[in-house]
Amino acid sequence: MSRGFYIGRFQPYHNGHQSVLERIAEQVDEIVIGVGSAQLSHELENPFTAGERVLMITRSLTGLHCPFYVIPIEDIQRNALWVAHVRSMTPPFDTIYSNNPLVMQLFAEAGCTVCATEMYQRDTHSGTEVRNRILKGEPWEHLVPRAVVQVIKEIRGIERLQQIAKKD
Ligand code: ATP
Ligand code: MG
């Protein structure tokens, strides 16, 4: 049984992430999805809680023909131990899929097989772009799966971002 690992902050989960996961689903038997910086929320760069991000990912992937596990992972301030920390929280996996240079380096040093992922319209599809658009009141809904639009509306995420952007 081959299991692939994919990690991001998913602030929020968007169509770029979805496209990568659909591709990984064709290559492995099961996918382990790590929700990184799980402890962070209610910040401009990290507005959503780990639970909210789990909801976004799980609902967006209901049609995926590949079993998946969504696991929140808090930061530890020690890169040399980070892979062991991740492994302590996740089902066993053999291949890690990433484009993040530090993530790739740490897993390679730990002896994992590291696969680079293809970028999907990266100029428009990034968490930063989606958060900026939400803040500015510009259209953002087309950049994320429909399930993510529903979750963000349900938790009043637009109002949250605009509120925490204010100065006291
Ligand atoms: P932010 O702008 O907040 O950093 P992000 O879009 O980079 O958000 P992350 O959660 O930081 O999203 O990234 C998780 C993983 O998804 C990273 O490996 C990142 O390279 C990858 N990724 C991000 N955007 C895309 C995209 N458009 N296509 C393919 N992979 C992407
Ligand atoms: Mg990023």
Side-chain angles (χ1 to χ4, degrees), residues 9 17 100 122 127-128:
R9 288 175 17 264
H17 303 133
N100 181 291
R122 177 62 168 167
T128 304

Side-chain angles (χ1 to χ4, degrees), residues 2-3 27 33 37 59 67-68 77 82-83 92 103 128 147-149:
S2 74
R3 236 176 255 115
Q27 296 166 38
I33 303 165
S37 299
R59 288 198 186 158
F68 62 91
Q77 309 308 323
W82 183 71
V83 171
V103 170
T128 304
V148 172
V149 177

Side-chain angles (χ1 to χ4, degrees), residues 83-98:
V83 171
H85 169 64
V86 168
R87 285 202 180 282
S88 77
M89 300 294 295
T90 51
F93 54 84
D94 27 73
T95 308
I96 135 102
Y97 295 83
S98 183

Side-chain angles (χ1 to χ4, degrees), residues 75-123:
D75 292 328
I76 56 166
Q77 309 308 323
R78 202 172 283 235
N79 285 337
L81 298 181
W82 183 71
V83 171
H85 169 64
V86 168
R87 285 202 180 282
S88 77
M89 300 294 295
T90 51
F93 54 84
D94 27 73
T95 308
I96 135 102
Y97 295 83
S98 183
N99 266 326
N100 181 291
L102 175 62
V103 170
M104 295 170 90
Q105 177 66 21
L106 294 176
F107 275 103
E109 285 184 22
C112 295
T113 306
V114 180
C115 289
T117 53
E118 224 169 271
M119 281 296 173
Y120 172 86
Q121 301 177 12
R122 177 62 168 167
D123 45 331

Side-chain angles (χ1 to χ4, degrees), residues 6 8-10 14 17 20 119-120 122 125-128 131:
Y6 183 61
R9 288 175 17 264
F10 307 120
H14 56 65
H17 303 133
V20 169
M119 281 296 173
Y120 172 86
R122 177 62 168 167
H125 288 71
S126 75
T128 304
R131 293 190 303 275

